[in-house]
Amino acid sequence: MDQEKNIPKITSRLRHNILEMPKEIYQASGIVIYGRRIKSLVYTTDIAVIRNCDADAVFAVYPFTPQQAISQAIISSSYIPVFCGVGGGTTNGIRTIGLAKDVEAQGAMGVVLNSPITNVNLLAVSKAVDIPVVITVVSEDTDVSKRLINGASIINVAAGEKTAEVVRKIREKHPDVPIIATSGKSGESITQTIKAGANAITYSPPPTAELFRSMMKNYRQK
């Protein structure tokens, strides 16, 4: 009997409508961190989504300077591990080191640095914390070897339509490096990215307004 087709599912009267990650993500090998296998990461800072999804972890990166109050709210509200953005672009230098130490103390599973960060700054962050340092790669021109030498634990590929291609090129040169990659908009793009060599996938959920719109449509039909 195929056990995969017979997976028991437990829900309740109220908690049955959760955001499910695309099934294609389960083809990934995952990355084992502190004994926990991570295949899917929900890319959001929305606590309501974080509390109502089946992702393995949270990828909490947002387009503002990182703040301890935000990371604390997300980590304390989440029942799954959180990877927190701590800068690397506009926010850099000593501040990124302080933020990384703060989110580690708050309970983050890892810190995420944006692609513009210098290797010197990356190395300083990696020496300041004892959790994985995730470095974002947005182009095939990035010298991944230097990122790894300077303390990156995991490569996060976010290269838009070229994500699968960039993942493939990194995997050719670095067969053992853990790679997280963005999901794209379809199951097919997720599958292609995994086949290219990604170990885990970040999934951007629909906006809350869109999820609520779907719920309201169902209400109107009753």
Side-chain angles (χ1 to χ4, degrees), residues 5 10 13 57 62 86 106-107 111 143 150 170 191 196 208 213:
K5 294 181 181 178
I10 306 297
R13 183 173 61 85
Y62 47 94
V86 294
Q106 290 168 350
V111 296
D143 190 334
N150 284 282
I170 294 173
T191 298
T208 304
R213 192 180 304 119

Side-chain angles (χ1 to χ4, degrees), residues 20-37:
E20 296 183 353
M21 299 297 102
K23 63 183 185 302
E24 289 82 4
I25 291 179
Y26 296 104
Q27 303 172 65
S29 67
I31 301 170
V32 178
I33 303 174
Y34 305 133
R36 184 188 291 263
R37 181 179 292 190

Side-chain angles (χ1 to χ4, degrees), residues 121-171:
N121 202 167
L122 168 60
L123 181 61
V125 170
S126 71
K127 287 186 174 182
V129 296
D130 189 42
I131 53 178
V133 177
V134 183
I135 184 71
T136 300
V137 170
V138 298
S139 165
E140 61 186 55
D141 297 328
T142 302
D143 190 334
V144 173
S145 296
K146 285 188 178 179
R147 291 307 206 186
L148 296 172
I149 290 170
N150 284 282
S153 310
I154 300 171
I155 302 300
N156 170 50
V157 181
E161 294 179 355
K162 292 186 175 181
T163 293
E165 181 182 341
V166 173
V167 167
R168 186 175 295 106
K169 290 185 176 181
I170 294 173
R171 181 58 72 212

